[in-house]
Amino acid sequence: MKLIQWGIFAGLTVLIAALFHFLPRLRKRNLYFGVTVAEGFRESEEGRAIAREFRAFVWAGTAITLGVLWVMLELQQTLLFSLAANLQCLVGCLAWIRAWRRARRDAVRPAGIRSAEIGQASGGSMLGLLGLILPFLGPVGSAAWLWSKYSELPVRYPVHWGAAGHANRYVTKSPLALFFTPLVSVLVLLLLVVIVLGIRFGTRRGTSGERAGWALRFRRLNLVMLTSIMWVASLTTSVLSVAVVLSSRTIGTLMAVGTVALLATVVGFAVALTRMSMEPTGGADATPDECWRGGMFYYNPADPAFMVESRDSMGFTFNFGNRLSWWFVVLLLTLVIGALLLALGLK
Amino acid sequence: MCTQYTEGGMSRRDAQIRIDLDSSEPAYRQIASQLRTLFVEGALVPGDALPPVRKLAMDLAVHFNTVAEAYRLLAEEGWLDVGHGRNARVVERTAPKPSEANVETHRQKLRQLIAEMRASGVPASRVRKELTTLLEALES
């Protein structure tokens, strides 16, 4: 059992390491570790040396993480085991920052050309609006159904299941315990809505020439991806909400299907976004290099954009020079801490 | 749901402005200059609403004040009506009577521009063609 548990985490760790390994190749052609570089830089001697060093750090971090995970499992330190799982990402981020610093020596100045459509407004379609609203019906509907069946539900029921499908945590029936999952689901959906609206109304509509078309397609695909994640998350959490009346076997099957659906959605869109990022017209956007901290965080108070195209991932990131972004971070932290406190209150 | 900045269902999809932040000319002047060109050429007509300052600034990746300054300049010239809480709107403008000195100033500018084109290798026939095309577009 211990070996299976370690095997699952080891598999995930190696998968993340592989993603880090190929990350330098999966980015826009004129970006290298978040730095604007000349077209052929990544194939140059220095470009290859930066990637080699980055990968060496990533794999060393992965080996250390696997070792630490095994030791924590042997010592049965569950909390430290969970923390150790993040060690690799920490090492990967530090390796990224190191590579970013090195790549900056060969940075080139991005073109200062900017363009904007005057007559084309950014509205929203009714279909897009429905796509954002309808996922809320899942958790709200399941909460309403639970409320109507409240008296018929068992006094004590399982809320957590192990890798083998056996329930390993139970709670006593209460309104908080019953509505916890739908509530968290609604909050997560709300966060996703904020991000969707942020991308829809708080990002640039595109710059000039060929890149204008690319930027619009990239933005549209991100919006479709986030909306799809909302739908899958809504369905999965709705099933989880009514788990109290389902058999362990049914829950196991449905959760497996839900997890696979969520992973397939994310991976499918990530592949599409990566391919799009590597297109010749997918160059850097209008953000200055000096406003990217560590090649990951964008801070530019002079830029009114709420979100901009990310330089270290396939989507969008916040402009921390915009006050709204900090409000979003506060909202996110409040929701995470609030959900944790509520979960601790369940017995 | 889909909103247009222009009135009466008119869509000015071809109206685009382009600025160069590396240019020695300030960004607000470039924006004003390009919008003025769109007004003169009829791409934007009286009654049309311009994008909100925030939106245009975001698309051009410049500060709000840069766009606000450009709108203010055009409002001073009589092209725009800028009020608080609503989009800037193109208004009917009566062109002032040009003085001889004014015409002379612009003639000098045109001469310099044509000389620049010629100096960069553009043949005289092409310069003539470009000027004719621009004049025809202005008259139509």
Side-chain angles (χ1 to χ4, degrees):
Chain A
M1 193 63 205
K2 199 184 287 178
L3 198 64
I4 292 174
Q5 200 176 352
W6 186 82
I8 291 170
F9 276 92
L12 281 172
T13 309
V14 171
L15 189 70
I16 293 168
L19 280 175
F20 268 116
H21 182 96
F22 291 107
L23 200 57
R25 288 265 154 202
L26 302 178
R27 302 302 301 127
K28 295 167 187 170
R29 293 161 77 91
N30 59 349
L31 285 178
Y32 203 52
F33 291 100
V35 178
T36 311
V37 291
E39 187 74 19
F41 178 73
R42 59 167 75 170
E43 280 80 30
S44 69
E45 191 55 46
E46 176 63 4
R48 285 204 295 263
I50 294 173
R52 266 198 306 275
E53 190 185 69
F54 170 74
R55 285 166 181 159
F57 272 107
V58 165
W59 285 107
T62 304
I64 294 168
T65 305
L66 290 176
V68 172
L69 283 174
W70 179 255
V71 172
M72 292 306 149
L73 209 59
E74 283 290 321
L75 298 174
Q76 295 189 324
Q77 294 287 336
T78 318
L79 184 65
L80 289 176
F81 182 86
S82 307
L83 289 175
N86 297 306
L87 184 66
Q88 180 201 30
C89 287
L90 181 70
V91 174
C93 288
L94 291 175
W96 172 278
I97 292 171
R98 191 178 162 84
W100 165 75
R101 289 171 75 105
R102 199 169 156 183
R104 281 185 77 184
R105 294 182 211 147
D106 295 282
V108 294
R109 190 175 156 72
I113 304 290
R114 309 271 187 274
S115 66
E117 299 288 333
I118 293 299
Q120 206 173 356
S122 57
S125 68
M126 189 57 81
L127 199 65
L129 192 66
L130 280 176
L132 294 183
I133 293 171
L134 289 180
F136 285 90
L137 290 181
V140 171
S142 55
W145 185 83
L146 285 171
W147 184 247
S148 69
K149 300 277 176 192
Y150 191 80
S151 56
E152 301 164 33
L153 298 175
V155 177
R156 203 158 166 77
Y157 58 91
V159 288
H160 196 269
W161 295 264
H166 300 297
N168 55 14
R169 191 172 174 220
Y170 290 80
V171 292
T172 307
K173 185 173 77 174
S174 70
L176 176 64
L178 272 182
F179 300 134
F180 180 74
T181 309
L183 181 68
V184 170
S185 174
V186 165
L187 295 178
V188 169
L189 291 177
L190 276 175
L191 282 177
L192 285 168
V193 166
V194 172
I195 296 174
V196 166
L197 295 179
I199 294 175
R200 189 71 188 83
F201 298 103
T203 58
R204 279 180 256 294
R205 286 178 292 173
T207 46
S208 60
E210 284 178 310
R211 211 194 114 68
W214 181 90
L216 285 174
R217 278 194 298 127
F218 184 74
R219 196 166 71 150
R220 198 174 301 134
L221 189 58
N222 266 281
L223 292 174
V224 174
M225 177 184 73
L226 286 167
T227 310
S228 306
I229 289 173
M230 281 180 69
W231 279 82
V232 177
S234 166
L235 288 172
T236 312
T237 51
S238 299
V239 170
L240 199 61
S241 301
V242 296
V244 57
V245 292
L246 302 174
S247 69
S248 284
R249 195 172 168 178
T250 313
I251 294 164
T253 310
L254 289 174
M255 288 319 293
V257 170
T259 309
V260 169
L262 194 60
L263 278 175
T265 308
V266 173
V267 171
F269 279 106
V271 169
L273 284 169
T274 305
R275 290 177 67 151
M276 199 182 277
S277 292
M278 292 162 77
E279 286 177 17
T281 49
D285 72 353
T287 54
D289 273 15
E290 57 271 22
C291 295
W292 284 93
R293 309 289 157 91
M296 290 184 272
F297 302 104
Y298 183 61
Y299 179 83
N300 186 0
D303 186 348
F306 171 52
M307 295 179 89
V308 293
E309 284 169 29
S310 170
R311 289 194 173 189
D312 64 335
S313 69
M314 312 303 165
F316 286 83
T317 187
F318 294 99
N319 171 14
F320 288 100
N322 187 320
R323 206 175 296 164
L324 275 177
S325 301
W326 290 103
W327 281 113
F328 181 83
V329 172
V330 169
L331 180 71
L332 183 67
L333 288 175
T334 309
L335 293 181
V336 170
I337 294 168
L340 282 174
L341 290 175
L342 278 178
L344 288 173
L346 299 177
K347 287 174 183 170
Chain B
M1 250 332 252
C2 187
T3 53
Q4 298 289 339
Y5 291 131
T6 50
E7 276 190 335
M10 288 184 295
S11 171
R12 308 285 178 189
R13 286 176 188 278
D14 53 344
Q16 192 188 67
I17 60 170
R18 187 180 163 95
I19 61 167
D20 184 356
L21 297 182
D22 296 331
S23 163
S24 56
E25 189 182 9
Y28 82 93
R29 282 204 170 273
Q30 291 184 53
I31 296 168
S33 174
Q34 299 220 12
L35 284 173
R36 195 185 297 111
T37 306
L38 293 173
F39 302 150
V40 171
E41 288 178 347
L44 290 168
V45 295
D48 284 350
L50 293 186
V53 169
R54 178 176 285 271
K55 186 72 191 160
L56 188 55
M58 189 166 70
D59 282 348
L60 292 171
V62 294
H63 200 274
F64 305 122
N65 290 344
T66 307
V67 176
E69 188 59 34
Y71 281 14
R72 216 164 12 244
L73 186 68
L74 290 167
E76 278 171 18
E77 290 178 14
W79 292 106
L80 291 181
D81 172 25
V82 284
H84 284 291
R86 59 191 165 85
N87 289 359
R89 199 165 283 276
V90 184
V91 292
E92 200 71 59
R93 176 180 183 267
T94 314
K97 197 179 174 189
S99 66
E100 268 311 307
N102 194 277
V103 172
E104 182 55 30
T105 307
H106 287 100
R107 185 185 292 124
Q108 285 299 330
K109 280 186 189 171
L110 263 176
R111 278 183 65 196
Q112 284 164 12
L113 193 65
I114 291 168
E116 268 181 44
M117 287 176 81
R118 296 285 289 120
S120 65
V122 181
S125 56
R126 183 65 194 271
V127 174
R128 186 181 299 114
K129 192 181 164 194
E130 292 296 333
L131 285 171
T132 311
T133 310
L134 286 172
L135 280 173
E136 281 171 0
L138 202 64
E139 283 161 4
S140 67

